Amino acid sequence: MWWIILIIVLALVLFYVYEHNRLQRLNMQVNQSGSDIDVQLKKRADLIPNLISTVKGAVNAERGTLERVTKYRTQILDGVDKKDYNAALQASNNLTTVLNATAESYPELHTNQNFMQLSETMTTIANQIASCQSAYNSCVADYNLSVQNIPSSFVAKMMNLKEKDAMIQATSEEKQNVNVNFDDIK
């Protein structure tokens, strides 16, 4: 009889250890995914000074564009520093929109190789940010599922683990094409 009790206790301990380690791994993956977003946003923010110089040289008459670029750069850095990734991503998306609209409105910029190289880099980083965000949301979904599912939810409660929030997804309005009008730049 004692052997059966001992086997059951041992099985429960092994289950607890397995689930504890699995939940810890999932938690670390969520944290790592958040850090990957942080790295990409900082990488993008580091490129902005070069972008500002290039845009200044190519479109020095458009002071409003440069002010917007600087404003969004500041918002990106503020969002990263405060770990407010949604604000940083929104500022980053706004910056990309301004740059793309500037390039379309001023065809002579297309001949400026520096501008095109930086524009391509910005697009690449924007894609990397989107990929990191997708990976983060996937890790959060796996983690939350484990925290909610029985029997691992019992272990999660013992560890005081709570569900994590995924990044805010774009609304249907945000998914639509952006109409940029430069008439408001003074």
Side-chain angles (χ1 to χ4, degrees):
M1 184 68 161
W2 290 102
W3 287 103
I4 294 174
I5 294 172
L6 183 63
I7 290 172
I8 291 172
V9 168
L10 183 60
L12 288 174
V13 167
L14 290 175
F15 170 76
Y16 177 83
V17 168
Y18 172 79
E19 283 300 315
H20 180 275
N21 290 340
R22 191 174 70 80
L23 288 168
Q24 288 289 55
R25 187 185 79 249
L26 291 172
N27 190 32
M28 289 180 72
Q29 287 174 343
V30 169
N31 293 337
Q32 179 62 45
S33 296
S35 294
D36 290 346
I37 293 170
D38 197 26
V39 166
Q40 292 302 323
L41 290 171
K42 285 185 180 193
K43 179 179 176 182
R44 186 171 195 160
D46 289 343
L47 290 176
I48 306 260
N50 293 329
L51 178 63
I52 291 172
S53 297
T54 302
V55 172
K56 254 185 195 176
V59 191
N60 58 10
E62 291 298 325
R63 185 173 43 91
T65 300
L66 297 175
E67 290 171 354
R68 290 168 96 183
V69 168
T70 303
K71 178 180 94 174
Y72 292 132
R73 176 185 180 267
T74 302
Q75 289 176 353
I76 291 169
L77 291 173
D78 287 346
V80 169
D81 290 342
K82 295 176 184 172
K83 300 291 185 198
D84 186 354
Y85 297 125
N86 290 322
L89 286 169
Q90 183 62 41
S92 180
N93 292 338
N94 290 341
L95 175 62
T96 300
T97 300
V98 168
L99 294 175
N100 289 338
T102 301
E104 290 172 8
S105 297
Y106 299 95
E108 65 275 9
L109 291 178
H110 290 287
T111 62
N112 184 324
Q113 194 167 9
N114 290 335
F115 182 85
M116 291 303 294
Q117 182 181 4
L118 287 170
S119 180
E120 289 171 15
T121 301
M122 295 290 290
T123 300
T124 300
I125 293 174
N127 291 337
Q128 290 170 343
I129 291 169
S131 177
C132 288
Q133 181 181 4
S134 178
Y136 177 84
N137 284 340
S138 179
C139 288
V140 168
D142 290 344
Y143 172 84
N144 286 347
L145 194 60
S146 292
V147 168
Q148 294 171 357
N149 282 346
I150 296 174
S152 61
S153 63
F154 298 122
V155 177
K157 285 179 185 175
M158 286 184 224
M159 295 172 62
N160 291 327
L161 296 178
K162 306 285 185 223
E163 289 183 41
K164 296 185 183 267
D165 293 328
M167 297 192 116
I168 296 172
Q169 301 299 315
T171 65
S172 59
E173 293 171 358
E174 292 171 331
K175 291 179 183 177
Q176 294 177 0
N177 288 334
V178 177
N179 182 15
V180 178
N181 183 352
F182 281 95
D183 293 340
D184 64 338
I185 297 177
K186 296 179 174 116

